[in-house]
Amino acid sequence: MTAVLKNWDFMRILRMGMGLWLIYSAFVDHQPLLGLLGGLFALQAIMNVGCCGSGGCATPNTRQSTSKTIEETHYEEVK
């Protein structure tokens, strides 16, 4: 329950707002598919996941050091 109530950032609030608006529009316009889309957005906001999962698309912050040395390329002139 604490995961649902904490860490509400801008994107999570935006997803919840879009989800609730789409669900409301679905009831008003009698559009069940729009309601499913709104439910998807609301569920993403409640579970704090995006399209790729929680942090699935993020790149790592630390840079891995490589022990390989870069060899110099030698070119041969062709006449």
Side-chain angles (χ1 to χ4, degrees):
M1 187 66 172
T2 59
V4 173
L5 299 176
K6 293 189 183 224
N7 297 328
W8 281 84
D9 58 349
F10 175 73
M11 285 305 295
R12 194 170 177 188
I13 293 170
L14 181 68
R15 270 185 252 137
M16 180 58 84
M18 286 175 53
L20 293 176
W21 177 70
L22 287 172
I23 291 171
Y24 170 75
S25 294
F27 279 118
V28 170
D29 297 335
H30 303 289
Q31 297 287 329
L33 292 177
L34 191 62
L36 289 174
L37 184 64
L40 176 69
F41 278 116
L43 186 64
Q44 283 182 343
I46 290 170
M47 299 181 80
N48 196 19
V49 294
C51 297
C52 298
S54 182
C57 294
T59 58
N61 292 335
T62 59
R63 185 175 207 162
Q64 297 177 357
S65 62
T66 58
S67 60
K68 296 179 182 178
T69 58
I70 300 173
E71 297 179 13
E72 188 175 326
T73 307
H74 299 284
Y75 296 100
E76 181 180 327
E77 185 177 343
V78 178
K79 293 183 182 183

